[in-house]
Amino acid sequence: SSSSSSFVAYASASSGLSWRHLTRSGNILALVFNAANLCWWLGVTMTSVTSSNILYQTAVIFVFILSVFSLKETVTVLKVCSVLLAFVGVCLVVLADGSSGSDTSTVYTHAVIGDLIMLLSAFLWALYQCLFKYLIGDDATAETVSLVSGLMGISTAVYSLPVFVFLHFTGLETFSLPPIGEPKLWFIILAQTFFNTVLNSVVNFGVAYISPLFTQVGVMLLLPLSVYADILVMHIIPSITAILGTLLVLVGFLSFTASTEI
């Protein structure tokens, strides 16, 4: 339609990027994004939840390294200490959660492979964020970010369709809709879809408007927030380790925010 074509033209003109560059960026980002998610799903089934959570949080370290070399991120003592504080805090929260769960009773025969795949997922997630910033530049508009995100969705659908058909008709993994009479299951699926879409959109805009490193450090706040949610909703009293971990994440985020203003 004319409105959609005018939006595309405006998004391209406002960013100074050609339509060819934007479509190529959407294709590249979709491949990296889905590869990161695929590795996560594979890794989390082969190793413990505690190990997978800690290893996945190493994405912040990969983002830092990639940002320094590809985005000319300045390295300061405060930034390094802030990232390490937040990472250690997340590890403490995960370890506290893992020690109180039933995950430790499960034997993972391919744990080393699972750990390596989870590390690869963390690297690919970091690569995705840095590529997003690198490809759309520092002066990206809301229209440009929305357009590239939409192109990623189209690319994902195109790439996934042959795989989906192959897996279904070969019987390797058949697809079926949840039963109509299971409203709770439908609610969980739709809610998860909604929140994942919101989270990914927030990450994309955060990367575009601020930086991949700041965004990734901010994403790490989700773990301590989940601890507070357990207190308020589930009435679960966290351990001293978990409380210390949440404080370290908060201090790390605040100090990193301060480092960007210096």
Side-chain angles (χ1 to χ4, degrees):
S1 63
S2 59
S3 59
S4 60
S5 59
S6 61
F7 172 80
V8 170
Y10 177 76
S12 177
S14 62
S15 63
L17 303 173
S18 66
W19 170 245
R20 182 180 180 181
H21 177 84
L22 293 174
T23 53
R24 185 171 66 246
S25 298
N27 284 325
I28 295 172
L29 290 169
L31 287 173
V32 178
F33 179 82
N34 287 295
N37 285 323
L38 177 61
C39 288
W40 187 89
W41 282 109
L42 290 173
V44 79
T45 61
M46 301 172 68
T47 188
S48 67
V49 174
T50 302
S51 295
S52 61
N53 274 326
I54 291 177
L55 291 170
Y56 191 70
Q57 295 304 327
T58 58
V60 70
I61 298 175
F62 289 127
V63 167
F64 203 169
I65 296 172
L66 291 173
S67 295
V68 169
F69 289 100
S70 63
L71 303 175
K72 308 305 179 185
E73 179 80 40
T74 56
V75 180
T76 65
V77 174
L78 184 56
K79 278 186 180 180
V80 174
C81 292
S82 301
V83 170
L84 291 177
L85 267 180
F87 178 69
V88 171
V90 167
C91 292
L92 289 177
V93 174
V94 172
L95 289 172
D97 182 61
S99 63
S100 61
S102 58
D103 186 56
T104 55
S105 61
T106 306
V107 177
Y108 295 91
T109 55
H110 300 92
V112 175
I113 298 176
D115 290 344
L116 292 175
I117 294 175
M118 193 58 67
L119 273 176
L120 177 60
S121 175
F123 172 77
L124 289 173
W125 177 241
L127 179 63
Y128 163 76
Q129 293 182 72
C130 293
L131 271 176
F132 197 99
K133 182 71 171 181
Y134 179 80
L135 291 172
I136 67 174
D138 294 324
D139 301 320
T141 62
E143 291 79 11
T144 306
V145 177
S146 301
L147 178 59
V148 172
S149 300
L151 290 171
M152 285 178 57
I154 295 173
S155 298
T156 299
V158 172
Y159 297 148
S160 301
L161 185 59
V163 179
F164 172 83
V165 172
F166 173 78
L167 292 176
H168 179 74
F169 286 101
T170 57
L172 293 174
E173 188 171 341
T174 56
F175 172 79
S176 62
L177 290 171
I180 301 297
E182 294 286 347
K184 184 177 180 180
L185 185 58
W186 278 97
F187 173 78
I188 293 174
I189 294 174
L190 293 175
Q192 184 177 19
T193 302
F194 172 77
F195 286 115
N196 280 340
T197 302
V198 171
L199 176 61
N200 289 328
S201 299
V202 169
V203 168
N204 287 347
F205 277 96
V207 167
Y209 285 165
I210 309 174
S211 72
L213 186 55
F214 183 90
T215 303
Q216 185 59 36
V217 174
V219 168
M220 296 174 77
L221 288 172
L222 289 174
L223 217 54
L225 286 175
S226 67
V227 174
Y228 296 124
D230 282 341
I231 297 174
L232 296 175
V233 179
M234 305 300 294
H235 305 292
I236 297 175
I237 305 301
S239 65
I240 299 297
T241 304
I243 294 174
L244 177 61
T246 59
L247 291 176
L248 287 179
V249 174
L250 290 174
V251 171
F253 177 74
L254 292 175
S255 59
F256 184 84
T257 304
S259 72
T260 60
E261 303 296 331
I262 297 176

